[in-house]
C-alpha cells in the first residue's frame, strides 16, 4: 500500500541514549517547578480523617480518578471529535493539562497593564518514534528522536481585546543522513512563527483574527507533535462548551513541518510525497457549525451539525447525535453520524461523491468508557478513493470525528467499505490514563482491488506528575498493524513533556 507520508528514520540511537535524555529533562523539569504550589486536581485522595467512613473515602477516590480522566479527555479532544461524548486520547501530550480556569484571567485597566499583566506559557517536549516496517514497507525501520517545544505570550484583556503570539522549535538528535531512516514529521529542523492574533471576548462571544489554533471537525490544531497545525484567518464563536454556534474563514495553513503559512493543504507535495497535485494553491476554506445539549430526564441528548467548503476540493456536511441517561453510575449511550460530500471548484483530487454512515454503542462508568464504533463508507467507483471523504487539513493526520478509526493511519485515507473499532479507556487511579483499542478496516481504494483487511492493536498509558513535578507528563503509545500479504507494521511513540502556564 502506498503511504502518503514522507518516510524517514534514524540510525545509531540506542534505547539507553533515549532514557538518558528523558532523565535529564525530567531533572530540569523538577528544578523549574520545585517552587510551584501543588494545586493539581488529579492528586490521589487524601488519607482519611477520623470523621471519614470507608464509603466516604471510596467515593473521594472515585471522584479523584474521574477528575483525572476528565482532565485528560479535555486536552485529548480532537476537533469536533466527541465520539458521542466519549473521547479517546490519541495524542501523547494529552498527558499534561495545566491550564488555569478562564475565570482567573484579569482584565487590564490601561494599555500598559494590558502588556505587563500578560501571561507566558509553553512546553518542552522530547518525542521518540521507533518504527518497524514503516507503513508495511519491509525492512524500512525508523528510530527518530527530536526535542523542542513552544513559547506563547498572551496579553491581559482590555475592553475585551487581547493579543497572542507564539513560536515553536524542533531539533533532531543524531538523525541519520539517509532520509528513509528518519520520520517525516519529527525529522525536519523547524524554527516557526506560530500564533499571532487579535481577539475580542465578551458576553459568551469570541472573535479571533490572524494566525490561530482552530478546533473544528477535520481541520484542527491537532497538537500532538512538536509544533501544532495552525490556520490564518477569521473565526467567531458564540455560546458555551455544550451549546454554541461558530463560523470561520481560513486563508492559509501551516502544517507540522512548515516554517510559515501558505495557501496549501496536507494533499500538497511539500507534505505528501506521493501527491498527485504538486503544490497547487487554493483560497483556503470556510464553514459554519454548532452543538446543542438538551436534558430531558431521564435522558440527555447531544447533537452537532457542520458545513464546510474546502475551496477547489469539496463541500462537506456532517451531523451527529447521541442519547444517554442523565443519571446513574452506569451510563450506556448510543450515537449516530452522517457525512455527505461532493466536489467544489477545480476538484483538484477529481470527482468527489462520498456518503458515510456511523453508529456507536458504549457505556461509561465513573472514569472508564467502553465503546464499539462502526462507519460505512459507501463505495463509488468514479469518486476519489472509491468514495472516501476528502479532508484537506486532516489527510494522513487524523480521522476527525469518525467513530471507527485506527491510530497509525486515517480511516478516510484508506478507501470505502466498512470500518470497526472497539475501544476502552479511563483513569483507573489518580494521575494515570490508560487505554486499548482494536480496529479493523475492511476498505478498498478502488472497485477492482481487494479489501486491505487491516487490523490494528493499540495500547497506551499516560502519567501526569503532580506536587513539585506538576506539569511534567510521560506518555507511551504502542500499535501493531497487519494486512494480508504485507509485512507487519509496528510503531512505538514515547513522549516526555513539561508544560507550564497554560
Amino acid at each position: 500500500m502506498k503511504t502518503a507520508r514522507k518516510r524517514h528514520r534514524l540510525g545509531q540511537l540506542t534505547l539507553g541514549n533515549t532514557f538518558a535524555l528523558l532523565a535529564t529533562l525530567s531533572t530540569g523539569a523538577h528544578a523549574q517547578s520545585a517552587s510551584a504550589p501543588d494545586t493539581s486536581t488529579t492528586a490521589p485522595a487524601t488519607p482519611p480523617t477520623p470523621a471519614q467512613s470507608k464509603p466516604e473515602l471510596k467515593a473521594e477516590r472515585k471522584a479523584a480518578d474521574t477528575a483525572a480522566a476528565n482532565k485528560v479527555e479535555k486536552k485529548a479532544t480532537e476537533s469536533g471529535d466527541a465520539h458521542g461524548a466519549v473521547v479517546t486520547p490519541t495524542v501523547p501530550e494529552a498527558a499534561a493539562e495545566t491550564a488555569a480556569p478562564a475565570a482567573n484571567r484579569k482584565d487590564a485597566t490601561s494599555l500598559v497593564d494590558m502588556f505587563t499583566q500578560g501571561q507566558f506559557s509553553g512546553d518542552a517536549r522530547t518525542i521518540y518514534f521507533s518504527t518497524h516496517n514503516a507503513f508495511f514497507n519491509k525492512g524500512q525501520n525508523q528510530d527518530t528522536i527530536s526535542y523542542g517545544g513552544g513559547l506563547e505570550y498572551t496579553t491581559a484583556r482590555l475592553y475585551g481585546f487581547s493579543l497572542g503570539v507564539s513560536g515553536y522549535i524542533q531539533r533532531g538528535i543524531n538523525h541519520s543522513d539517509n532520509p528513509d531512516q528518519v520520520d517525516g514529521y519529527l525529522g525536519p529542523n523547524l524554527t516557526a512563527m506560530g500564533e499571532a492574533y487579535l481577539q475580542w471576548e465578551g458576553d459568551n462571544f469570541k472573535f479571533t483574527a490572524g494566525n490561530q489554533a482552530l478546533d473544528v471537525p477535520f481541520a484542527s490544531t491537532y497538537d500532538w507533535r512538536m509544533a501544532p497545525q495552525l490556520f490564518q484567518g477569521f473565526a467567531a464563536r458564540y455560546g458555551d462548551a455544550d451549546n454554541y454556534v461558530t463560523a470561520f474563514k481560513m486563508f492559509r495553513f501551516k502544517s507540522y513541518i512548515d516554517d510559515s503559512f501558505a495557501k496549501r493543504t496536507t494533499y500538497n507535495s511539500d507534505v505528501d510525497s506521493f501527491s498527485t497535485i504538486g503544490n497547487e494553491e487554493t483560497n483556503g476554506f470556510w464553514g459554519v457549525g454548532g452543538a446543542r445539549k438538551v436534558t430531558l430526564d431521564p435522558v440527555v441528548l447531544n447533537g452537532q451539525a457542520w458545513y464546510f467548503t474546502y475551496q477547489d476540493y469539496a463541500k462537506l456536511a456532517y451531523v451527529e447525535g447521541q442519547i444517554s441517561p442523565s443519571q446513574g453510575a452506569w451510563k450506556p449511550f448510543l450515537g449516530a453520524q452522517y457525512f455527505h460530500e461532493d466536489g467544489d471548484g477545480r476538484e483538484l483530487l477529481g470527482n468527489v461523491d462520498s456518503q458515510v454512515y456511523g453508529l456507536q454503542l458504549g457505556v461509561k462508568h465513573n472514569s472508564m468508557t467502553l465503546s464499539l464504533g462502526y462507519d460505512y463508507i459507501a463505495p463509488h467507483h468514479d469518486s476519489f478513493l472509491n468514495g472516501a471523504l476528502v479532508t484537506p487539513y486532516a489527510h494522513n493526520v487524523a480521522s476527525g470525528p469518525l467513530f471507527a478509526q485506527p491510530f497509525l493511519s486515517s480511516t478516510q485515507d484508506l478507501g470505502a467499505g466498512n470500518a470497526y473499532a472497539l475501544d476502552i479507556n479511563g483513569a483507573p487511579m489518580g494521575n494515570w490514563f490508560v487505554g486499548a483499542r482494536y480496529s479493523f478496516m475492511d476498505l478498498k481504494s478502488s472497485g477492482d482491488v481487494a479489501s486491505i483487511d487491516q487490523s490494528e492493536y493499540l495500547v497506551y498509558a499516560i502519567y501526569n506528575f503532580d506536587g513539585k513535578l506538576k506539569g511534567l507528563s510521560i506518555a507511551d503509545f504502542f500499535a501493531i498493524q497487519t494486512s494480508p500479504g504485507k509485512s507487519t507494521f509496528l510503531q512505538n511513540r514515547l513522549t516526555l513533556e513539561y508544560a507550564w502556564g497554560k
Side-chain angles (χ1 to χ4, degrees):
M1 180 185 69
K2 281 188 176 181
T3 174
R5 303 186 184 184
K6 294 180 180 178
R7 303 176 184 132
H8 306 297
R9 49 182 146 159
L10 159 147
Q12 301 92 33
L13 178 69
T14 67
L15 192 59
N17 297 143
T18 303
F19 282 103
L21 178 63
L22 295 182
T24 302
L25 288 182
S26 177
T27 302
H30 184 285
Q32 292 179 59
S33 60
S35 60
D38 180 13
T39 57
S40 173
T41 59
T42 62
T46 55
T49 64
Q52 280 183 305
S53 65
K54 287 184 178 180
E56 288 172 336
L57 178 59
K58 184 177 180 181
E60 183 177 334
R61 285 175 175 164
K62 274 188 178 181
D65 292 346
T66 301
N70 291 338
K71 199 178 219 185
V72 175
E73 287 181 354
K74 179 181 177 183
K75 185 71 179 281
T77 302
E78 292 181 354
S79 66
D81 187 4
H83 283 226
V86 180
V87 178
T88 300
T90 59
V91 300
E93 70 285 4
E97 177 54 63
T98 59
N104 290 344
R105 289 185 62 185
K106 294 181 179 180
D107 287 340
T109 57
S110 70
L111 189 60
V112 172
D113 289 345
M114 181 180 182
F115 288 91
T116 60
Q117 295 177 8
Q119 181 180 15
F120 282 96
S121 60
D123 58 69
R125 298 174 182 172
T126 298
I127 305 176
Y128 172 40
F129 282 15
S130 180
T131 307
H132 182 66
N133 295 329
F135 302 99
F136 300 109
N137 291 294
K138 187 175 183 180
Q140 188 173 6
N141 302 324
Q142 302 174 340
D143 286 287
T144 308
I145 185 168
S146 294
Y147 69 93
L151 181 65
E152 179 178 356
Y153 173 74
T154 306
T155 69
R157 287 191 298 255
L158 179 63
Y159 304 116
F161 289 95
S162 62
L163 300 169
V165 62
S166 65
Y168 299 91
I169 187 171
Q170 175 173 282
R171 293 293 183 269
I173 299 176
N174 197 29
H175 285 184
S176 171
D177 293 331
N178 182 352
D180 286 337
Q181 296 180 354
V182 183
D183 180 83
Y185 288 135
L186 294 182
N189 286 337
L190 300 176
T191 304
M193 182 69 178
E195 294 165 291
Y197 61 83
L198 169 68
Q199 188 172 89
W200 184 85
E201 296 177 77
D203 298 323
N204 289 328
F205 182 83
K206 180 187 292 186
F207 176 79
T208 308
N211 301 347
Q212 58 190 279
L214 191 64
D215 184 22
V216 299
F218 295 117
S220 181
T221 292
Y222 299 129
D223 185 16
W224 62 75
R225 296 292 194 275
M226 208 70 74
Q229 295 191 158
L230 295 170
F231 301 83
Q232 184 183 92
F234 305 94
R237 177 184 171 114
Y238 177 77
D240 56 30
D242 295 321
N243 302 280
Y244 64 87
V245 292
T246 185
F248 44 88
K249 171 65 174 94
M250 297 296 149
F251 300 95
R252 291 176 174 84
F253 165 70
K254 187 192 80 64
S255 76
Y256 294 129
I257 58 175
D258 288 329
D259 288 316
S260 59
F261 292 78
K263 292 185 174 183
R264 296 175 183 169
T265 73
T266 53
Y267 286 119
N268 286 129
S269 58
D270 56 354
V271 177
D272 177 354
S273 59
F274 288 84
S275 173
T276 61
I277 63 171
N279 278 324
E280 286 279 353
E281 295 186 343
T282 75
N283 290 322
F285 69 104
W286 64 270
V288 295
R292 177 73 170 159
K293 180 178 181 179
V294 179
T295 301
L296 299 173
D297 284 330
V299 299
V300 175
L301 303 176
N302 286 277
Q304 56 179 312
W306 299 86
Y307 176 83
F308 304 89
T309 292
Y310 304 118
Q311 292 176 260
D312 289 322
Y313 283 100
K315 299 174 182 176
L316 171 65
Y318 154 55
V319 293
E320 181 176 313
Q322 184 220 55
I323 183 171
S324 62
S326 58
Q327 303 292 331
W330 292 86
K331 293 184 177 180
F333 57 86
L334 171 65
Q337 59 184 192
Y338 173 69
F339 304 80
H340 178 87
E341 189 174 45
D342 51 28
D344 179 75
R346 290 181 289 163
E347 295 187 332
L348 291 175
L349 297 180
N351 182 51
V352 178
D353 182 11
S354 180
Q355 298 85 44
V356 181
Y357 310 82
L359 286 174
Q360 186 183 59
L361 296 170
V363 62
K364 188 174 181 70
H365 178 63
N366 297 326
S367 71
M368 301 299 295
T369 300
L370 174 67
S371 64
L372 175 64
Y374 169 74
D375 281 298
Y376 174 67
I377 302 101
H380 294 288
H381 67 89
D382 60 345
S383 178
F384 174 74
L385 276 184
N386 199 30
L389 290 171
V390 170
T391 56
Y393 303 93
H395 169 55
N396 282 334
V397 174
S399 301
L402 288 165
F403 287 148
Q405 53 180 278
F407 177 70
L408 298 178
S409 49
S410 306
T411 305
Q412 75 276 12
D413 291 320
L414 301 176
N418 303 286
Y420 310 83
L422 177 65
D423 191 285
I424 184 169
N425 65 76
M429 61 191 76
N431 297 45
W432 281 98
F433 197 94
V434 299
R437 182 194 304 167
Y438 171 74
S439 64
F440 182 75
M441 303 289 110
D442 175 19
L443 303 175
K444 300 169 66 173
S445 58
S446 67
D448 56 357
V449 300
S451 169
I452 63 172
D453 289 338
Q454 175 186 291
S455 289
E456 183 186 86
Y457 309 84
L458 168 70
V459 292
Y460 53 90
I462 303 168
Y463 184 79
N464 294 307
F465 292 83
D466 55 21
K468 293 182 178 181
L469 290 177
K470 182 184 176 185
L472 182 66
S473 63
I474 187 167
D476 193 69
F477 288 67
F478 176 71
I480 299 174
Q481 281 191 357
T482 63
S483 184
K486 298 179 180 179
S487 301
T488 300
F489 169 29
L490 298 86
Q491 188 173 79
N492 190 78
R493 301 181 181 182
L494 178 66
T495 298
L496 181 73
E497 178 185 58
Y498 179 68
W500 66 92
K502 292 187 177 182

